Amino acid sequence: MKKFIAVGLLLSNFVFGQATTEKKEVNPFKKGSVMIFWGWNNAKYSKSDIHFKGDGYDFQLDKVVAHDRQTKFDWGTYFNPGSITIPQVNYRITYFPKDNFGITIGMDHMKYVMDQDQVVDFKGHISDPKYAGMVNNGKVDLSGNDFLTFEHTDGLNYINIGAQKYHNVLDKKNIDVFVSYGAGLGALLPKSNVQLMGNERSDRFHLAGFGLDARAAVSVVALRHIVLQAEGKLGYINMPDIKTTLNNKPDKASQDFVYAQFNFGIGYTFNTKKYN
């Protein structure tokens, strides 16, 4: 009997001792974790009605077409600290108040450029006969730069806060894969480059409106810290106060549109608390 008890104690010590020495799995998005992220985006915009109002004019251009403006890839531009904000970029920081639930603060530096080669419907009036004469049969030709150039190219600059829920779909020794979904809202601080009907070009930052978005992503986490992430967004932007002149005149434009954005980038996750 004593031999059986001794063997049992040895087996018990071996089993429990082995269990205590096993490496504990660490969730990269555990409560208290922080993730920093930098990426690049591509965006598509819906057509937009743009309303211009100022001294001597009040009119709307209907269904204006615009695109983003990708910066040609160059290592010196995309990765040089002095020029990395020139391309269309996304940067953010995410804190996890609960396991697999993140609160994000970030900025989407998108670019919006009105196509010049288009003819659009015109509604309203212009008192200056030179520019009123450019309207024919309720339409205006925007080709060339005489009537209007309109872009947000030093950033559409969607400064946003969001929340995302993460789900682990693959858990290996050095690789984890998460899918996430969530939503965000924020303010638009574009630097709008506008020249309207011979006025001085306006090119300055201004708080112009707000935005909303829904987001979903796939995140691959290597070695528990390095994050490769691909994300899609669908959003709505409303800017009722876009500055169109260089000085402080009350001249302004307003527009709203929906957009689709794809971004890809790299992040790093670390924990601010000791694991239990």
Side-chain angles (χ1 to χ4, degrees):
M1 175 64 81
K2 290 182 179 179
K3 288 183 179 180
F4 283 114
I5 292 173
V7 171
L9 288 171
L10 286 172
L11 288 174
S12 176
N13 288 336
F14 175 76
V15 171
F16 287 105
Q18 186 182 47
T20 57
T21 57
E22 285 182 356
K23 183 179 178 181
K24 187 175 181 179
E25 293 297 320
V26 178
N27 179 357
F29 300 141
K30 187 177 177 66
K31 178 180 178 180
S33 293
V34 173
M35 179 172 67
I36 54 176
F37 175 85
W38 183 275
W40 301 269
N41 68 70
N42 182 282
K44 301 293 183 183
Y45 305 110
S46 68
K47 294 179 180 180
S48 175
D49 298 339
I50 309 177
H51 186 191
F52 295 87
K53 187 174 183 179
D55 186 18
Y57 62 90
D58 187 346
F59 64 88
Q60 179 173 293
L61 305 180
D62 290 346
K63 298 181 180 178
V64 176
V65 177
H67 292 88
D68 68 356
R69 178 179 288 167
Q70 293 293 334
T71 301
K72 185 178 179 181
F73 180 79
D74 176 82
W75 287 97
T77 301
Y78 275 71
F79 296 100
N80 185 324
S83 60
I84 55 175
T85 59
I86 292 176
Q88 297 181 176
V89 296
N90 300 63
Y91 44 94
R92 63 185 65 157
I93 184 168
T94 302
Y95 175 72
F96 292 84
K98 297 171 58 177
D99 288 0
N100 299 324
F101 178 77
I103 302 296
T104 295
I105 297 176
M107 187 171 84
D108 297 0
H109 179 76
M110 299 180 284
K111 296 185 179 182
Y112 177 102
V113 184
M114 181 192 78
D115 290 7
Q116 291 297 145
D117 188 19
Q118 61 180 310
V119 177
V120 297
D121 290 338
F122 175 99
K123 298 174 183 175
H125 76 272
I126 301 172
S127 60
D128 188 326
K130 175 183 177 181
Y131 297 101
M134 295 181 179
V135 180
N136 295 295
N137 299 318
K139 296 182 181 295
V140 61
D141 187 349
L142 300 178
S143 59
N145 300 325
D146 292 339
F147 189 84
L148 173 68
T149 57
F150 186 88
E151 54 189 55
H152 312 291
T153 46
D154 204 358
L156 196 53
N157 298 334
Y158 174 41
I159 303 168
N160 58 90
I161 183 169
Q164 299 85 231
K165 178 66 176 176
Y166 291 76
H167 295 277
N168 185 224
V169 295
L170 179 66
D171 185 3
K172 297 295 185 181
K173 182 177 180 181
N174 292 317
I175 294 288
D176 288 282
V177 178
F178 289 81
V179 295
S180 62
Y181 54 87
L185 57 86
L188 273 296
L189 186 69
K191 190 178 183 189
S192 302
N193 188 341
V194 181
Q195 187 166 25
L196 174 64
M197 298 187 299
N199 287 307
E200 287 187 273
R201 183 179 298 276
S202 176
D203 189 12
R204 54 176 165 161
F205 291 103
H206 181 71
L207 184 62
F210 69 92
L212 307 168
D213 74 84
R215 55 188 73 175
V218 176
S219 303
V220 179
V221 186
L223 303 174
R224 300 297 178 186
H225 295 289
I226 301 169
V227 183
L228 297 176
Q229 181 171 283
E231 180 183 64
K233 280 186 175 182
L234 290 175
Y236 169 73
I237 285 174
N238 188 314
M239 294 186 290
D241 190 22
I242 302 166
K243 292 301 182 184
T244 58
T245 55
L246 185 62
N247 53 34
N248 291 320
K249 290 180 179 180
D251 302 63
K252 66 177 184 178
S254 60
Q255 67 175 148
D256 68 317
F257 52 87
V258 297
Y259 71 92
Q261 180 196 131
F262 172 78
N263 64 68
F264 175 80
I266 187 168
Y268 186 83
T269 180
F270 57 93
N271 202 278
T272 60
K273 297 180 180 179
K274 293 182 179 180
Y275 293 111
N276 295 324

